Structures are given as structure tokens and as C-alpha cells.
Amino acid sequence: MLKKIISGGQTGVDRAALDVAMRLGLPHGGWVPKGRLAEDGPLPSYYQLDEMPTDDYAARTEKNVLDSEGTLLITRGTPSGGSDYTRKMALKHGKQLLHIDLTLGQRASDAASLIASWIEMNRIETLNVAGSRASGDPAIYMDTVNILTHLLQ
């Protein structure tokens, strides 16, 4: 049973996950780089995330993978950059990983059903949500909001 959503607070997928969790009253958290760094500036304090002692995005990514039972990765196409690093950390640490590729044309409700089954099957209580930044895919925030809203309502 899902009890908490965590993410690194970056724009795009990460921020969508936090916003949906807050809107629906689900506990949220995670780790952010020192200075609450994100590509659009410091992350606002209403996001209840903890600061790492370093400004290294990779350290934050690994810590969020470690602090969850599974990582949901949402991208449009093959993961690259930080999304690919997230994938590698999940594999390195033997954590559950589900990749939703939005280029496959799945409806939000179908993606949500798949995610719900995966969460239940793997007994995930704390879910790390990661994926593409808004600068690389401006539409990914709303696509993620739609999927997670279907999942959590």
C-alpha cells in the first residue's frame, strides 16, 4: 500500500509527483541538492524535502532511490541524462523499477492501472518518482499529473 511519494524536486516529472501528492493529501518528501537546487532556481520551502550536504544531483538521485522500495521513471522515449542515471541506480541497488515511456501512446488511465498493479505486486510503500525535466519536455509535467491523479484517486 502506497504511503509516501518522494522525488528530487526537479522540474517536470519530479515536481508533478510532489504537486499531486500535496493536492491529494498524500505524504511527500525526498532529497534535494544543497541549496534546494533545481533548474528553475531554489525549490520552494512548501515542498517538504531534505537538503543533501552536497549540491551534486547524482548524490541526491541515489539517496532517493535508496530511500524507496521502488522507482517510477516517466520519460518520453529512452531515458537519458539524469533519468538514465536514476535507472542505473535502481538497478545497482536492486530496487524495483518501472519505466513508463510516453511515446508508446498509453492512455493515462492505462498507465495508472499498470503502475497500481506494479506497486501492489512489489509492496511499495514509498515510491520514488523521477523522469524528464520540463526544459527538455515541456508537456511532461501535465502528462505526469494526469497519470498520477488517475493512480492516486
Side-chain angles (χ1 to χ4, degrees), residues 27-98:
H28 73 279
W31 292 92
V32 293
K34 185 176 184 177
R36 299 180 69 83
L37 294 177
E39 70 176 358
D40 61 345
L43 190 68
S45 60
Y46 54 81
Y47 293 108
Q48 299 171 12
L49 280 67
D50 296 313
E51 275 188 65
M52 295 287 294
T54 175
D55 62 2
D56 180 34
Y57 284 106
R60 170 266 292 174
T61 296
E62 187 168 17
K63 183 77 168 130
N64 283 329
V65 166
L66 287 168
D67 283 358
S68 66
E69 288 83 31
T71 294
L72 172 62
L73 188 62
I74 301 176
T75 65
R76 203 173 311 277
T78 303
S80 61
S83 297
D84 190 46
Y85 185 75
T86 302
R87 181 189 65 79
K88 289 175 181 173
M89 289 300 98
L91 295 173
K92 173 185 173 183
H93 294 291
K95 296 288 187 159
Q96 293 297 320
L97 174 68
L98 178 62

Side-chain angles (χ1 to χ4, degrees), residues 1 8 17 32 59 62-63 89 103 105 108 124 127 129 135 137 140 144:
M1 167 105 169
V32 293
E62 187 168 17
K63 183 77 168 130
M89 289 300 98
T103 64
I124 293 171
L127 177 66
V129 181
S135 61
D137 185 346
I140 203 147
T144 301

Side-chain angles (χ1 to χ4, degrees), residues 11-13 16 39 76 102 132-145:
T11 64
V13 172
E39 70 176 358
R76 203 173 311 277
L102 298 177
S132 303
R133 294 179 177 201
S135 61
D137 185 346
I140 203 147
Y141 175 89
M142 280 311 303
D143 290 338
T144 301
V145 165

